[in-house]
Amino acid sequence: MDEGTGGARVGAGDAVRFAFGTLSVVPVRVERWDRAAAAGGMAVAPLVGVIVGAVAGGVGAGLHALGASALLAAVAAVAVPAVLTRGLHLDGLADTADGLGSGKPAAQALDIMKRSDIGPFGVVTLLLVLLAQVAALTACYGHGWVYALASAVAAAVSGRAVMTLAARRGVPAARPGGLGAAVAGVLAPRVAWAVAAGCAGLAAAAGVGFHGLTWLRFLVAAAAAVVCAELLLRRCRTRFGGVTGDVFGALCETAATAAVVVLSLR
């Protein structure tokens, strides 16, 4: 697999290991950490979303089947991705919010994002996003566990698809070092957009199994995820000069939230 970086080819196994090794707690050994491996890993990042979303939706569905309320099922479904990613993306969301809200010059804002503590902007953003996710999934479980499971998977995949998009050429790293610099600009734009379009198509296909125009709602959810993430990405590029690992996490959570909110509107 060669993703247009000009580096050595990378096998599917190396790509998958890079994706799961950097974006989840799945115990895999990342044997390559070069640009080609990063390109392959970011190209298959939505696969991580499939697993994370399936486990999250499945845990919630299991609780719901045992008699738990839709709210409790939703809380569990939101908690699972945090566990499976060690809270990495949520931490990135909070740090990005602090950086954007600081009003400081880019270099100082990036320093704020590197701190281990979370400021007021991060706390409020984290709280509102988690509440939105729980509320949206509660509505989804109210329409049945199958729909909620499909929604959880679609949201998780959408979150990783926008990470693939953010790794396209033309999107620079805000600073050297870290995951952001390792994956920034590793994918040809046509590859990144093809992955995003493919994920949207699969989301629509998942909605075909439900009645009426549900397939269109899944397609709109995937599109909304991309639009919201691209708006945030543009803001981060203007504010910080590029992307960081925190920005990738923020994009993921923003997209997933946008998608599941749309899917809750039945």
Side-chain angles (χ1 to χ4, degrees):
M1 180 186 300
D2 186 347
E3 304 301 340
T5 64
R9 286 182 174 274
V10 60
D14 286 322
V16 171
R17 280 190 290 271
F18 186 97
F20 280 90
T22 56
L23 302 178
S24 77
V25 296
V26 176
V28 297
R29 181 179 179 182
V30 181
E31 298 177 348
R32 291 182 57 177
W33 190 258
D34 53 38
R35 297 285 285 179
M42 295 311 293
V44 301
L47 288 177
V48 180
V50 173
I51 302 302
V52 171
V55 175
V59 168
L63 285 173
H64 202 32
L66 291 173
S69 67
L71 176 59
L72 182 56
V75 170
V78 170
V80 168
V83 173
L84 294 181
T85 62
R86 295 193 187 94
L88 182 67
H89 304 325
L90 290 171
D91 179 67
L93 174 69
D95 287 343
T96 300
D98 280 334
L100 290 174
S102 67
K104 302 291 185 181
Q108 291 178 262
L110 289 170
D111 285 339
I112 289 172
M113 292 166 64
K114 289 177 66 176
R115 296 174 186 170
S116 59
D117 60 331
I118 299 178
F121 289 105
V123 171
V124 171
T125 300
L126 201 57
L127 178 62
L128 291 177
V129 166
L130 288 173
L131 283 174
Q133 291 179 359
V134 169
L137 277 172
T138 298
C140 290
Y141 277 107
H143 298 302
W145 71 267
V146 176
Y147 183 81
L149 175 60
S151 297
V153 174
V157 170
S158 295
R160 278 70 185 177
V162 301
M163 297 175 84
T164 299
L165 276 178
R168 66 186 183 269
R169 282 202 300 266
V171 180
R175 59 184 173 216
L179 179 61
V183 301
V186 295
L187 286 174
R190 59 180 175 78
V191 173
W193 283 107
V195 170
C199 290
L202 290 174
V208 170
F210 302 97
H211 67 275
L213 295 176
T214 304
W215 67 269
L216 182 58
R217 183 176 294 107
F218 274 77
L219 184 60
V220 171
V226 171
V227 170
C228 291
E230 284 293 303
L231 289 174
L232 177 58
L233 177 60
R234 176 178 295 186
R235 176 57 180 156
C236 290
R237 290 179 65 180
T238 301
R239 185 75 175 80
F240 308 133
V243 293
T244 67
D246 286 331
V247 170
F248 273 94
L251 293 172
C252 179
E253 292 295 336
T254 298
T257 303
V260 78
V261 166
V262 171
L263 291 169
S264 71
L265 305 176
R266 287 193 72 188

